[in-house]
């Protein structure tokens, strides 16, 4: 009985993926470092980000306060304390940026408006938190919803900027060079557009690019899966053809021998004639049924004259096996490949399907070595023990031929594994220590 077919790839083979760039390697390193430190979830990592942003923002605020003191427009102590508190709240709100992006943005905006009240009308102090919150909303929210939020924020900043430039709010902040409420409102609108608007649209663009890349990867996986399905169908069809040839060859011989025995029995033991005749008739009927069922899987036009196995020599032609490995090796040598064949152990007669399977695996392995390791010596070893039969095809490192690269025969391993599963054998493939390639096929003997 054939075991389950090999699993299809869920993703593109990692061996075919391009190497990571510097940014991806840095991101992977940071991710691994955070995991080792115990920050595995999104909330914990965003909280750590908020703490870091708070430290950076307080440092920026301190430099702003020092600069105002140098300019002889110092902040009141209560204003500095309030600005620090608002900066901390604004930064720590980033822990919600992936769980509740709009709530995070609302807290950041509210804190920024509170800071605007305590700053001069012609000044603006922005920490990293507004950029990060707006960028996150851009990556997570639909474009229409994002635009509505950004427009609301811009209008809100414009109105608050104009209102805060009027008494009594103007007295809460150090004196400003620009006292016109309209100019103060326009200044805040420009700031909101540059901070929230630009960061949000950049986030939306990054999100669209990520979705496009994700869809491309899905399409690549689907194409690869379809390619594998096609290879499996082609390989199973090929095995069905060979099964037809094997059965046709052996059943034809059985029918012929039974017919001869029937003629001899007619002279020597007449009572055996009906039994042998029944064997001949059943064998012939089985052969015809097999030709109708399995032979239907052959490619259209494969039989000359449009018949199904009636061409001369088609059904009775011998099928390849381990007995003709020498001929296969000689053919490879004629193609310019340096191949050696070594047999060991007693001569054993393998089941017909297993015999063909060993031959086909050796044939495919030699073809892969010829295409992908041109110029490298290839060693074929067939060892027959008491409990198992082992075939090994090893090749040293070589160069890939241009014809082999264009042929794209990368699905040969799938066909090998499908054949091995058919007879209960084990197939192992992979690189060798010297950089070459090894194919090992083991069939337990029952």
């Amino acid at each position: 009985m054939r075991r389950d077919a090999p699993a299809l790839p869920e993703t593109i083979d990692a061996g075919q993926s391009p190497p990571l760039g510097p940014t991806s390697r840095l991101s992977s390193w940071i991710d691994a470092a955070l995991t080792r430190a115990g920050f595995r979830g999104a909330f914990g990592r965003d909280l750590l980000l908020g703490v870091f942003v708070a430290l950076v923002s307080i440092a920026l605020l301190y430099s702003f306060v020092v600069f105002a003191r140098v300019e002889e427009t110092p902040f009141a102590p209560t204003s500095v304390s309030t600005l620090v508190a608002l900066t901390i709240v604004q930064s720590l709100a980033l822990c919600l940026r992936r769980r509740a992006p709009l709530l995070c943005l609302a807290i950041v905006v509210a804190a920024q408006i509170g800071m605007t009240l305590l700053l001069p009308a012609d000044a603006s102090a922005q920490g990293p938190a507004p950029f990060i919150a707006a960028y996150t909303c851009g990556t997570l929210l639909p474009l229409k919803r994002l635009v509505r939020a950004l427009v609301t924020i811009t209008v809100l900043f414009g109105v608050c900027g104009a209102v805060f430039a009027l008494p009594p709010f103007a007295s809460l902040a150090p004196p400003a060079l620009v006292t016109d409420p309209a100019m103060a409102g326009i200044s805040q609108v420009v700031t909101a557009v540059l901070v929230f608007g630009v960061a949000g649209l950049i986030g939306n663009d990054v999100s669209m690019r990520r979705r496009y890349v994700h869809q491309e990867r899905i399409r690549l996986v689907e194409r690869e899966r379809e390619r594998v399905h096609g290879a499996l169908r082609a390989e199973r069809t090929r095995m069905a053809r060979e099964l037809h040839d094997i059965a046709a060859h052996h059943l034809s011989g059985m029918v012929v021998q039974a017919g001869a025995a029937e003629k001899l029995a007619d002279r020597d033991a007449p009572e055996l004639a009906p039994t042998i005749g029944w064997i001949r008739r059943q064998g012939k009927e089985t052969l015809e049924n097999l030709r109708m069922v399995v032979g239907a899987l052959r490619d259209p036009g494969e039989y000359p004259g449009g018949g199904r196995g009636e061409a001369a020599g088609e059904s009775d032609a011998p099928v390849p096996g381990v007995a003709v490995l020498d001929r296969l090796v000689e053919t490879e040598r004629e193609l310019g490949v340096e191949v050696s064949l070594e047999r060991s152990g007693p001569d054993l007669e393998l089941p017909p399907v297993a015999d063909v399977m060993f031959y086909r695996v050796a044939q495919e392995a030699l073809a892969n070595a010829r295409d992908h390791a041109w110029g490298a010596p290839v060693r074929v070893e067939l060892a027959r023990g008491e409990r198992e039969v082992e075939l090994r095809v090893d090749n040293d490192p070589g160069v890939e031929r241009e014809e082999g690269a264009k042929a794209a025969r990368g699905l040969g391993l799938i066909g090998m594994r499908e054949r091995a599963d058919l007879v209960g054998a084990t197939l192992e493939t992979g690189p060798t220590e010297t950089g070459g390639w090894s194919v090992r096929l083991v069939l337990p003997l029952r």
Side-chain angles (χ1 to χ4, degrees):
M1 295 294 290
R2 188 180 68 84
R3 297 180 299 194
D4 291 339
L8 298 177
E10 295 297 331
T11 59
I12 303 301
D13 186 7
Q16 303 293 328
S17 60
L20 294 176
T23 304
S24 299
R25 287 196 295 269
L26 178 60
S27 176
S28 299
W29 181 84
I30 295 175
D31 181 75
L34 291 175
T35 301
R36 288 194 298 269
F39 295 96
R40 292 181 174 85
F43 181 81
R45 293 187 175 188
D46 289 340
L47 181 59
L48 183 63
L49 173 65
V51 173
F52 176 76
V53 169
L55 296 176
V56 174
S57 300
I58 290 175
L60 293 175
L61 180 61
Y62 176 77
S63 63
F64 192 83
V65 172
V66 171
F67 179 78
R69 188 180 304 166
V70 172
E71 293 294 323
E72 298 182 352
T73 56
F75 287 88
T78 54
S79 297
V80 174
S81 301
T82 305
L83 287 172
V84 171
L86 291 173
T87 300
I88 294 175
V89 172
Q90 185 185 65
S91 301
L92 295 182
L94 294 178
C95 66
L96 303 173
R97 68 189 188 99
R98 281 185 277 191
R99 289 191 172 186
L102 277 180
L103 177 60
C104 172
L105 183 62
I107 296 174
V108 169
V109 170
Q112 190 65 38
I113 291 177
M115 295 169 66
T116 304
L117 177 62
L118 302 175
L119 294 173
D122 56 353
S124 178
Q126 301 287 343
F131 296 94
I132 296 175
Y135 173 85
T136 304
C137 286
T139 60
L140 299 179
L141 298 180
L143 182 58
K144 291 184 178 180
R145 196 175 180 187
L146 174 67
V147 170
R148 287 198 297 266
L150 294 178
V151 170
T152 302
I153 292 172
T154 303
V155 173
L156 184 61
F157 266 88
V159 173
C160 290
V163 172
F164 292 164
L166 298 172
F169 301 105
S171 61
L172 299 176
L177 298 178
V178 178
T179 58
D180 183 20
M183 293 300 298
I186 293 174
S187 174
Q188 292 299 325
V189 167
V190 173
T191 302
V193 170
L194 294 178
V195 175
F196 294 94
V198 173
L201 293 178
I202 290 176
N204 181 262
D205 180 71
V206 170
S207 176
M208 293 179 61
R209 290 177 183 272
R210 287 176 179 172
R211 286 194 293 268
Y212 174 77
V213 171
H214 180 68
Q215 292 297 327
E216 281 297 309
R217 287 178 178 174
I218 291 177
R219 282 192 286 268
L220 284 175
V221 170
E222 291 299 327
R223 284 197 293 267
E224 180 71 9
R225 187 173 298 175
E226 182 61 29
R227 200 164 70 99
V228 171
H229 274 301
L232 290 177
R233 288 193 296 268
E235 191 64 29
R236 288 169 181 171
T237 301
R238 187 180 180 187
M239 286 188 291
R241 293 199 304 264
E242 291 175 352
L243 178 62
H244 173 273
D245 293 339
I246 292 170
H249 179 68
H250 290 277
L251 285 176
S252 296
M254 185 187 72
V255 172
V256 172
Q257 293 298 327
E262 184 180 13
K263 292 181 179 179
L264 292 175
D266 189 42
R267 297 196 304 266
D268 299 336
E271 64 275 7
L272 296 178
T275 302
I276 297 178
W278 180 85
I279 294 174
R280 181 181 61 81
R281 289 191 298 272
Q282 287 298 313
K284 187 174 181 180
E285 182 180 354
T286 302
L287 177 61
E288 293 299 327
N289 290 333
L290 185 64
R291 284 174 174 169
M292 286 188 297
V293 176
V294 184
L297 295 175
R298 289 182 177 267
D299 294 332
E302 187 172 348
Y303 290 103
R308 287 204 174 272
E310 299 302 328
E314 174 68 26
S315 298
D316 298 329
V319 293
V322 295
V324 294
L325 280 181
D326 299 87
R327 189 185 311 166
L328 176 62
V329 169
E330 186 62 30
T331 301
E332 291 294 322
R333 289 170 180 167
E334 294 175 357
L335 295 175
V337 182
E338 182 183 346
V339 188
S340 63
L341 173 61
E342 180 180 346
R343 298 174 184 262
S344 62
D347 292 337
L348 297 176
E349 184 175 353
L350 296 174
V353 176
D355 196 28
V356 176
M357 183 266 299
F358 269 86
Y359 179 87
R360 292 304 186 194
V361 169
Q363 184 182 43
E364 183 66 29
L366 288 172
N368 286 338
R370 184 175 67 248
D371 288 342
H372 305 294
W374 177 254
V378 185
R379 296 171 298 280
V380 181
E381 300 177 4
L382 181 63
R384 306 188 186 190
E386 296 181 358
R387 297 183 178 181
E388 64 183 22
V389 180
E390 178 182 353
L391 172 70
R392 287 185 66 97
V393 182
D394 299 336
N395 62 267
D396 293 338
V399 297
E400 184 167 359
R401 295 195 307 163
E402 183 178 355
E403 295 84 353
K406 290 181 179 179
R409 301 174 65 256
L411 292 172
L413 296 180
I414 298 176
M416 293 184 194
R417 189 160 284 110
E418 183 75 6
R419 288 177 178 274
D421 287 342
L422 179 68
V423 297
T426 301
L427 179 70
E428 298 177 359
T429 61
T432 62
E433 295 180 356
T434 60
W437 191 262
S438 175
V439 176
R440 180 173 179 266
L441 178 68
V442 178
L443 174 66
L445 297 178
R446 299 179 177 85

